[in-house]
Structure formats: C-alpha cells, structure tokens
Amino acid sequence: MALSCALRLLHRHPRPSSALLSSLSGWDHSALKEKLAANWKEKEKVREGGSLPGSSWEERLANAVTPLWRLSYQEQLQVKYESQRKILQMLTSRLEELGVDVQKPGGLCCPLRPVVPSCYEEFIRCSPLDSCLLFHEGGHWRELVVRTTSRGHTMAIVTFHPQELGQEELATQKALLKEFFTCGPGAVCALTSLYFQESTMTRCSHEQSPFQLLHGEPHIFEEILGLKFRISPDAFFQVNTGGAEVLYQAVRELGQAGGDTVLLDICCGTGTIGLSLAHQVSKIIGIEVVEKAVEDARWNAAFNGISNCEFHSGKAEAVLPQLLSSWEDSQPLVAVVNPSRAGLHYRVVRAIRNCKSIRRLLYISCKPEGEAMRNFLELCCPPNPGKKLAGEPFAPMLAMPFDMFPHTLHCELVLLFTR
C-alpha cells in the first residue's frame, strides 16, 4: 500500500489533533525541541500559525505541523492562494531580469486560478449534517480512510455515526456521497472502491457493522515481492509497500526457517508475511481475527499458486493454544507475530512460551514501548508457575527498526527472540 491515511473530520473551526498530541506526549522530545526551537520565533510572526502566549509545547508543535488550523477553511484557501501568487510574482520578476516580457493582467506571468479545495472537505462543509468527534455531542460524519496501491487503485472508506437517523435518511446520505464521488467534484479522485460504514463505536468490524460498497470494486490489489494480494476494507495491510518488502525480506533472513519448518504467522492479516516465506518452509499456519482478511489470505494463496498453507479465523488466544496443545515436538516451529498496538493476549504469550518446538520468535511491533513491552517481559522472564509460564525463557538477540512512517516519530521494530 503506497499510502494509507485516516483523516479525522474537523469541526467548523478546526483544532489540533488530540491523537497527534497524545502520540507525541509520551516521547522524550528534547532533541526534537532543539531542532524546532530555531523555527518558533519566525513561525510565530506568521499570523496563520502564530502561537498564543502561554501555549504548550505540544500546541506549538501542532502549529508547526498544521500551521493553518486556527483559520476557517475559506481563510486557509486564501492564504494558500496568496502564497502561490507570491511565487508567480517572483517568477515574473526573475524572468523580467532576464529580459523576458511576460507581464500579464494582474502583474503575473500567467493567470492564477483559485485553489482547488479538498474534495471531501467540500462535501462535509456542504452537508446539513455535522461532523462527529464525541459521540455524546451528536454529529454524523466521523472519519475518512483512504488506501492507495502502487497499481493505481484507491479505496475510500467513510465512517458515519447514524445517531437517530432512519433508513430513508441514511439512504439519502449514501446516495449523495456516491453522487459526489462519481459525478461531482470528488470524481477527480477516480476511486476504485467507495465504502460506507455505519458505526456507533470507535471501531467496528465488518461482522459488527458491514462495510457497504457504494461504488466500484469490492477489493483493491497490491503486489509485494512478486506476489499479488487482495485487500478488503477491514483487512490490515502495511501502509508503506516499499518498506514492507524490505521488512519481509528481513523477517525471511532472521527466521532462518528451513524446508522442514512450520511457520506460525500469528495476526497474519491478508497473509503477506507467511505467503512471502511459503516457498522456503514446509507449511504456513496463519491466524487472524478479521474474517474478511482470512478470506483475502486464502484467495491470495490460491491466486499465487501457494498450496502449503492454512489460515484460521478467530482470536489468537482461542485458536493458538488449541493448535499447539497437540503439536509434536519433533516438528520445528518458527513463530512470527505482528499484533496491533494492544499487543498479544496473555494466553497467546503463554502458549508460545510453553511450546518447546518454538525456538525462534520474531515479534513485529509499531509501538514497542506500549503493551508489547509487557509481552517482551513475559517471554523473557524466569519460569513463573503462578502465571503458568513453565517453558524455557526466550532471550532477545537482535532488534531492527524500520522507518515505515517517515516524517513521524514512529518506527516498526522487529525483535528476534531465541532460546
């Protein structure tokens, strides 16, 4: 996936993203502060991004990252227009210095059209329904997720809180949304897929609240390491395709899985890691809680002609202990886990720890300082009968961070454990 972004819908007068500020608040910002300090004085002179006296460091950082957040959208467009006008004035001046006569009406070397507004922003601001940031405060438009691939496919997923709207009103909003992206200003996006989900929670699975296809194809497709992958709206897929290829190649090398090895791909998503290693192991066993992602993984295996794999749908804490309880010690296992930021359930860690056949474990985490840290300690601590951690402890052998998220403070960390 070349690009994936979650755009939080803003109120009529946008404010800094609390998600951004909270994600930064737990870090040691001293080095970053030093780098940004030189920019504060100049930036604070600029009307649209100036810090207010007494504003926090996080607010000043938000001003640096999104300096126009204090302005209405029309004011933002005007600021951008004036900025582009100054660029053209500079170009005009430079050309005149070279003896080129380029003066046009307005004093520019060529006409300057108004800034084309953000397509979905325009739709939200024209909608009679408000955006929804806090459920109890009402509102409907919650989130837009855009997923694009190197094959030129684009999937947009609109999350909507129905509140008290009836089915007829919901149908009207879906029709307007479809019209906007197919016939209106949003048609410039040339969407491959347009999905709509009615969600009354922070996040709903397809089973809890189905993703409704309003327009286009049900899936988009991506290629990684010569394999083709089908992606559903609910399925996890690495957002940085080029980075994912490098990461999976490293997993392949660090796993050191031979032809007699079975690879456990825990939290496997659409099967990308397991399928990329399938040719060098005897079997792939994938486990994934999102049912649609498991369907994608099975399709991906069949489409790419890979037959030595099986994928199980369900929570890893329910599926994995059952799989390992009857495992024969003579067959070596290599485990790869790639959980969400919530980390692995304790029963998953316990099943891995107590399975003698697993001598090598690769843990991939996008937030190793969070719940994953608890997992690391459980994997490596001395045997603890009280917690039913009877197996030999693992030891961390190598850590490899991958910059999957340029221009942010986050990395994807691969930790190799052995015993």
Side-chain angles (χ1 to χ4, degrees):
M1 183 113 5
L3 168 69
S4 177
C5 58
L7 304 178
R8 294 285 178 184
L9 302 182
L10 305 178
H11 282 303
R12 302 303 180 195
H13 299 287
R15 302 195 61 79
S17 165
S18 59
L20 169 66
L21 300 184
S22 62
S23 69
L24 295 174
S25 60
W27 290 77
D28 177 6
H29 304 304
S30 55
L32 184 58
K33 285 182 181 178
E34 292 177 3
K35 292 181 180 179
L36 293 176
N39 295 331
W40 293 136
K41 191 171 183 180
E42 181 177 350
K43 287 181 179 294
E44 290 175 2
K45 292 179 181 178
V46 183
R47 171 183 175 272
E48 62 269 21
S51 285
L52 296 177
S55 60
S56 67
W57 182 85
E58 286 85 357
E59 287 175 324
R60 286 184 288 161
L61 179 57
N63 287 332
V65 176
T66 54
L68 304 184
W69 68 269
R70 295 183 188 276
L71 304 182
S72 71
Y73 189 56
Q74 288 303 316
E75 289 176 306
Q76 292 181 36
L77 292 180
Q78 186 59 35
V79 168
K80 294 174 190 288
Y81 180 85
E82 293 300 329
S83 174
Q84 302 310 303
R85 181 178 177 82
K86 289 179 181 178
I87 292 173
L88 284 183
Q89 285 175 337
M90 180 182 297
L91 175 59
T92 302
S93 176
R94 294 289 176 85
L95 290 174
E96 288 177 339
E97 291 174 2
L98 296 175
V100 181
D101 183 13
V102 292
Q103 282 286 351
K104 303 288 183 183
L108 301 179
C109 58
C110 64
L112 174 62
R113 293 185 177 180
V115 179
V116 178
S118 170
C119 293
Y120 193 61
E121 179 87 8
E122 179 180 342
F123 177 83
I124 294 300
R125 292 185 180 277
C126 291
S127 173
L129 303 180
D130 288 333
S131 57
C132 174
L133 293 182
L134 299 175
F135 295 169
H136 67 276
E137 291 185 357
H140 299 276
W141 301 107
R142 287 195 49 228
E143 190 174 82
L144 171 68
V145 175
V146 180
R147 310 176 79 168
T148 68
T149 74
S150 60
R151 297 171 61 89
H153 299 167
T154 303
M155 175 186 287
I157 307 165
V158 175
T159 309
F160 183 91
H161 196 306
Q163 301 291 0
E164 304 300 325
L165 293 183
Q167 289 303 310
E168 185 175 342
E169 294 169 301
L170 285 170
T172 298
Q173 294 305 316
K174 287 186 280 189
L176 290 172
L177 190 65
K178 178 180 178 180
E179 180 182 10
F180 177 82
F181 278 109
T182 56
C183 308
V188 69
C189 300
L191 295 181
T192 308
S193 310
L194 173 61
Y195 275 97
F196 182 90
Q197 186 189 40
E198 301 165 29
S199 176
T200 59
M201 297 183 287
T202 302
R203 174 171 168 76
C204 288
S205 66
H206 176 78
E207 289 72 31
Q208 293 169 315
S209 181
F211 289 88
Q212 304 167 45
L213 182 64
L214 301 186
H215 168 71
E217 302 297 323
H219 306 95
I220 55 176
F221 296 87
E222 185 59 286
E223 291 183 4
I224 291 183
L225 297 175
L227 301 176
K228 183 176 181 180
F229 293 95
R230 188 182 83 175
I231 307 167
S232 295
D234 203 21
F236 171 78
F237 200 92
Q238 282 287 357
V239 300
N240 184 334
T241 304
E245 290 189 327
V246 177
L247 187 150
Y248 297 161
Q249 286 172 333
V251 169
R252 178 188 299 175
E253 295 172 5
L254 295 175
Q256 296 183 5
D260 61 339
T261 303
V262 173
L263 179 74
L264 279 175
D265 189 0
I266 303 168
C267 308
C268 67
T270 57
T272 49
I273 294 178
L275 294 177
S276 67
L277 274 67
H279 67 283
Q280 69 182 53
V281 300
S282 65
K283 189 176 183 178
I284 301 290
I285 300 177
I287 302 172
E288 170 59 44
V289 67
V290 178
E291 188 174 333
K292 286 294 182 180
V294 172
E295 292 178 11
D296 288 342
R298 291 169 178 162
W299 185 94
N300 294 333
F303 182 86
N304 290 287
I306 299 173
S307 58
N308 63 333
C309 58
E310 61 184 53
F311 295 98
H312 299 264
S313 176
K315 294 181 177 180
E317 59 267 29
V319 177
L320 184 64
Q322 186 175 353
L323 279 173
L324 296 182
S325 62
S326 58
W327 198 263
E328 297 180 4
D329 291 346
S330 59
Q331 195 166 19
L333 285 170
V334 170
V336 177
V337 299
N338 187 15
S340 68
R341 293 189 172 194
L344 294 174
H345 192 282
Y346 173 71
R347 289 202 294 269
V348 176
V349 176
R350 188 173 65 190
I352 293 173
R353 171 82 183 251
N354 294 342
C355 180
K356 296 179 181 179
S357 298
I358 301 177
R359 311 300 299 175
R360 206 169 188 88
L361 166 67
L362 287 163
Y363 196 119
I364 305 171
S365 175
C366 61
K367 192 178 182 182
E369 76 280 8
E371 290 301 309
M373 185 62 63
R374 170 180 51 82
N375 295 159
F376 302 158
L377 297 175
E378 292 165 346
L379 289 165
C380 300
C381 69
N384 187 330
K387 293 185 177 181
K388 299 182 180 179
L389 295 174
E392 178 186 354
F394 285 88
M397 300 302 293
L398 183 68
M400 293 182 65
F402 292 79
D403 185 15
M404 302 288 285
F405 320 103
H407 311 298
T408 76
L409 296 172
H410 301 285
C411 279
E412 194 90 2
L413 181 66
V414 178
L415 261 175
L416 170 63
F417 297 91
T418 66
R419 59 180 178 179

